Amino acid sequence: MIYEMTVQVRVSDMQKGQKWYETLLNRTPDFIPHEGFAEWELITGCWLQVAEGTPSLNSGPIRLGVEDIIRERERLSSLLGIEHFDINEREEVPVKWATFQDPWGNGIGLFQYRSKTEMQERMRFILGKK
């Protein structure tokens, strides 16, 4: 049984990397066990680790669910200088999605459920309030 998950990205400059991910996630890390390493628990049992090191080419994307993908694109453009990125959608796919890169080349993505009802149902499930 899998009960927890971690995903790691590497950045060549930990100080800049941690600050960039703090801005992306809109909060400070939940855990910094040692120099060159920071972790955020994104949802219960799901951790994003940022570690100092050589970034892997073409890694990701790590896709993060958001309530309003257009608002997030504007926020990230303003605060992180991320160039405009396209938001994609297809009729047969229940989400809109977009992909961009962090300054170290790690793939990051956002997605938003097209149906508010489906998003709310998913959030209730994640929170254990079926």
Side-chain angles (χ1 to χ4, degrees):
M1 175 178 110
I2 296 171
Y3 63 92
E4 214 168 8
M5 164 181 129
T6 63
V7 177
Q8 185 181 95
V9 295
R10 294 195 179 132
V11 297
S12 57
D13 181 320
M14 188 60 193
Q15 185 176 3
K16 288 180 182 176
Q18 182 175 325
K19 185 68 178 160
W20 195 91
Y21 277 90
E22 285 176 359
T23 303
L24 173 70
L25 300 172
N26 219 12
R27 62 190 178 98
T28 58
D30 294 302
F31 186 50
I32 300 175
H34 54 78
E35 188 175 325
F37 197 89
E39 288 187 286
W40 288 260
E41 188 171 29
L42 302 179
I43 59 173
T44 302
C46 179
W47 294 81
L48 174 63
Q49 302 173 333
V50 175
E52 190 165 33
T54 303
S56 300
L57 292 177
N58 301 316
S59 71
I62 298 169
R63 292 204 192 277
L64 307 170
V66 297
E67 289 185 55
D68 186 330
I69 198 168
I70 293 171
R71 187 175 63 224
E72 278 301 300
R73 178 176 61 186
E74 291 168 1
R75 184 181 79 83
L76 298 175
S77 175
S78 171
L79 296 176
L80 294 174
I82 295 172
E83 292 185 28
H84 180 84
F85 52 84
D86 292 330
I87 296 171
N88 305 287
E89 63 182 304
R90 294 176 66 160
E91 188 175 320
E92 67 274 16
V93 179
V95 298
K96 300 176 186 181
W97 72 95
T99 306
F100 54 94
Q101 290 184 330
D102 72 10
W104 300 273
N106 296 298
I108 306 292
L110 303 176
F111 70 92
Q112 170 193 333
Y113 281 97
R114 292 171 39 189
S115 161
K116 289 284 187 193
T117 301
E118 190 169 352
M119 180 191 71
Q120 291 167 346
E121 288 174 7
R122 189 73 187 126
M123 290 174 125
R124 278 194 299 275
F125 178 80
I126 290 167
L127 296 172
K129 299 177 181 179
K130 302 173 192 175

PDB file of all heavy atoms in Angstrom, residues 61-65 97-100 107-111:
ATOM      1  N   PRO A  61       6.428  17.662 -15.974  1.00  0.00           N
ATOM      2  CA  PRO A  61       6.056  18.705 -15.029  1.00  0.00           C
ATOM      3  C   PRO A  61       5.390  18.141 -13.774  1.00  0.00           C
ATOM      4  O   PRO A  61       4.753  17.093 -13.812  1.00  0.00           O
ATOM      5  CB  PRO A  61       5.052  19.558 -15.807  1.00  0.00           C
ATOM      6  CG  PRO A  61       4.392  18.589 -16.727  1.00  0.00           C
ATOM      7  CD  PRO A  61       5.458  17.581 -17.083  1.00  0.00           C
ATOM      8  N   ILE A  62       5.564  18.862 -12.704  1.00  0.00           N
ATOM      9  CA  ILE A  62       4.794  18.638 -11.492  1.00  0.00           C
ATOM     10  C   ILE A  62       3.585  19.548 -11.640  1.00  0.00           C
ATOM     11  O   ILE A  62       3.740  20.761 -11.774  1.00  0.00           O
ATOM     12  CB  ILE A  62       5.605  19.025 -10.243  1.00  0.00           C
ATOM     13  CG1 ILE A  62       6.846  18.156 -10.125  1.00  0.00           C
ATOM     14  CG2 ILE A  62       4.736  18.959  -9.002  1.00  0.00           C
ATOM     15  CD1 ILE A  62       7.828  18.653  -9.086  1.00  0.00           C
ATOM     16  N   ARG A  63       2.405  18.992 -11.672  1.00  0.00           N
ATOM     17  CA  ARG A  63       1.198  19.803 -11.872  1.00  0.00           C
ATOM     18  C   ARG A  63       0.492  20.036 -10.534  1.00  0.00           C
ATOM     19  O   ARG A  63       0.260  19.095  -9.772  1.00  0.00           O
ATOM     20  CB  ARG A  63       0.245  19.121 -12.841  1.00  0.00           C
ATOM     21  CG  ARG A  63       0.799  19.084 -14.243  1.00  0.00           C
ATOM     22  CD  ARG A  63      -0.308  18.964 -15.273  1.00  0.00           C
ATOM     23  NE  ARG A  63       0.227  18.643 -16.575  1.00  0.00           N
ATOM     24  CZ  ARG A  63       0.713  19.542 -17.423  1.00  0.00           C
ATOM     25  NH1 ARG A  63       0.742  20.808 -17.097  1.00  0.00           N
ATOM     26  NH2 ARG A  63       1.180  19.152 -18.595  1.00  0.00           N
ATOM     27  N   LEU A  64       0.147  21.275 -10.297  1.00  0.00           N
ATOM     28  CA  LEU A  64      -0.501  21.693  -9.062  1.00  0.00           C
ATOM     29  C   LEU A  64      -1.921  22.145  -9.357  1.00  0.00           C
ATOM     30  O   LEU A  64      -2.133  22.985 -10.230  1.00  0.00           O
ATOM     31  CB  LEU A  64       0.289  22.850  -8.426  1.00  0.00           C
ATOM     32  CG  LEU A  64       1.788  22.599  -8.216  1.00  0.00           C
ATOM     33  CD1 LEU A  64       2.491  23.879  -7.831  1.00  0.00           C
ATOM     34  CD2 LEU A  64       2.003  21.517  -7.168  1.00  0.00           C
ATOM     35  N   GLY A  65      -2.879  21.614  -8.624  1.00  0.00           N
ATOM     36  CA  GLY A  65      -4.277  22.009  -8.807  1.00  0.00           C
ATOM     37  C   GLY A  65      -4.525  23.368  -8.164  1.00  0.00           C
ATOM     38  O   GLY A  65      -4.127  23.600  -7.029  1.00  0.00           O
ATOM     39  N   TRP A  97      -5.214  23.151 -18.290  1.00  0.00           N
ATOM     40  CA  TRP A  97      -3.866  22.974 -17.782  1.00  0.00           C
ATOM     41  C   TRP A  97      -2.888  23.891 -18.503  1.00  0.00           C
ATOM     42  O   TRP A  97      -3.151  24.359 -19.603  1.00  0.00           O
ATOM     43  CB  TRP A  97      -3.423  21.520 -17.886  1.00  0.00           C
ATOM     44  CG  TRP A  97      -3.137  21.076 -19.296  1.00  0.00           C
ATOM     45  CD1 TRP A  97      -1.920  21.066 -19.914  1.00  0.00           C
ATOM     46  CD2 TRP A  97      -4.072  20.597 -20.266  1.00  0.00           C
ATOM     47  NE1 TRP A  97      -2.033  20.600 -21.203  1.00  0.00           N
ATOM     48  CE2 TRP A  97      -3.357  20.312 -21.452  1.00  0.00           C
ATOM     49  CE3 TRP A  97      -5.452  20.385 -20.257  1.00  0.00           C
ATOM     50  CZ2 TRP A  97      -3.958  19.828 -22.597  1.00  0.00           C
ATOM     51  CZ3 TRP A  97      -6.053  19.910 -21.407  1.00  0.00           C
ATOM     52  CH2 TRP A  97      -5.311  19.633 -22.551  1.00  0.00           C
ATOM     53  N   ALA A  98      -1.770  24.105 -17.845  1.00  0.00           N
ATOM     54  CA  ALA A  98      -0.702  24.941 -18.405  1.00  0.00           C
ATOM     55  C   ALA A  98       0.630  24.448 -17.863  1.00  0.00           C
ATOM     56  O   ALA A  98       0.693  23.869 -16.775  1.00  0.00           O
ATOM     57  CB  ALA A  98      -0.915  26.399 -18.019  1.00  0.00           C
ATOM     58  N   THR A  99       1.677  24.675 -18.622  1.00  0.00           N
ATOM     59  CA  THR A  99       3.014  24.238 -18.222  1.00  0.00           C
ATOM     60  C   THR A  99       4.006  25.361 -18.455  1.00  0.00           C
ATOM     61  O   THR A  99       3.914  26.080 -19.441  1.00  0.00           O
ATOM     62  CB  THR A  99       3.440  22.997 -19.041  1.00  0.00           C
ATOM     63  OG1 THR A  99       2.432  21.987 -18.901  1.00  0.00           O
ATOM     64  CG2 THR A  99       4.764  22.444 -18.554  1.00  0.00           C
ATOM     65  N   PHE A 100       4.952  25.497 -17.525  1.00  0.00           N
ATOM     66  CA  PHE A 100       6.049  26.459 -17.639  1.00  0.00           C
ATOM     67  C   PHE A 100       7.247  25.862 -16.921  1.00  0.00           C
ATOM     68  O   PHE A 100       7.177  24.737 -16.430  1.00  0.00           O
ATOM     69  CB  PHE A 100       5.652  27.833 -17.073  1.00  0.00           C
ATOM     70  CG  PHE A 100       5.138  27.785 -15.658  1.00  0.00           C
ATOM     71  CD1 PHE A 100       5.998  27.995 -14.586  1.00  0.00           C
ATOM     72  CD2 PHE A 100       3.803  27.525 -15.392  1.00  0.00           C
ATOM     73  CE1 PHE A 100       5.527  27.947 -13.276  1.00  0.00           C
ATOM     74  CE2 PHE A 100       3.324  27.475 -14.089  1.00  0.00           C
ATOM     75  CZ  PHE A 100       4.192  27.695 -13.035  1.00  0.00           C
ATOM     76  N   GLY A 107      10.090  21.350 -14.964  1.00  0.00           N
ATOM     77  CA  GLY A 107       8.742  21.563 -15.472  1.00  0.00           C
ATOM     78  C   GLY A 107       7.737  21.711 -14.343  1.00  0.00           C
ATOM     79  O   GLY A 107       7.693  20.895 -13.425  1.00  0.00           O
ATOM     80  N   ILE A 108       6.957  22.790 -14.396  1.00  0.00           N
ATOM     81  CA  ILE A 108       5.912  23.048 -13.416  1.00  0.00           C
ATOM     82  C   ILE A 108       4.624  23.235 -14.207  1.00  0.00           C
ATOM     83  O   ILE A 108       4.622  23.811 -15.290  1.00  0.00           O
ATOM     84  CB  ILE A 108       6.189  24.341 -12.614  1.00  0.00           C
ATOM     85  CG1 ILE A 108       7.579  24.315 -11.971  1.00  0.00           C
ATOM     86  CG2 ILE A 108       5.096  24.594 -11.576  1.00  0.00           C
ATOM     87  CD1 ILE A 108       7.749  23.297 -10.874  1.00  0.00           C
ATOM     88  N   GLY A 109       3.542  22.760 -13.676  1.00  0.00           N
ATOM     89  CA  GLY A 109       2.267  22.940 -14.351  1.00  0.00           C
ATOM     90  C   GLY A 109       1.179  23.281 -13.361  1.00  0.00           C
ATOM     91  O   GLY A 109       1.307  23.032 -12.161  1.00  0.00           O
ATOM     92  N   LEU A 110       0.137  23.857 -13.882  1.00  0.00           N
ATOM     93  CA  LEU A 110      -1.058  24.150 -13.100  1.00  0.00           C
ATOM     94  C   LEU A 110      -2.225  23.477 -13.791  1.00  0.00           C
ATOM     95  O   LEU A 110      -2.217  23.285 -15.004  1.00  0.00           O
ATOM     96  CB  LEU A 110      -1.316  25.659 -13.054  1.00  0.00           C
ATOM     97  CG  LEU A 110      -0.207  26.549 -12.520  1.00  0.00           C
ATOM     98  CD1 LEU A 110      -0.612  28.017 -12.646  1.00  0.00           C
ATOM     99  CD2 LEU A 110       0.123  26.210 -11.078  1.00  0.00           C
ATOM    100  N   PHE A 111      -3.241  23.124 -13.025  1.00  0.00           N
ATOM    101  CA  PHE A 111      -4.477  22.663 -13.626  1.00  0.00           C
ATOM    102  C   PHE A 111      -5.647  23.148 -12.792  1.00  0.00           C
ATOM    103  O   PHE A 111      -5.506  23.420 -11.599  1.00  0.00           O
ATOM    104  CB  PHE A 111      -4.515  21.140 -13.824  1.00  0.00           C
ATOM    105  CG  PHE A 111      -4.624  20.336 -12.550  1.00  0.00           C
ATOM    106  CD1 PHE A 111      -5.863  19.976 -12.054  1.00  0.00           C
ATOM    107  CD2 PHE A 111      -3.482  19.914 -11.873  1.00  0.00           C
ATOM    108  CE1 PHE A 111      -5.974  19.228 -10.887  1.00  0.00           C
ATOM    109  CE2 PHE A 111      -3.577  19.164 -10.717  1.00  0.00           C
ATOM    110  CZ  PHE A 111      -4.827  18.815 -10.222  1.00  0.00           C
TER     111      PHE A 111
END
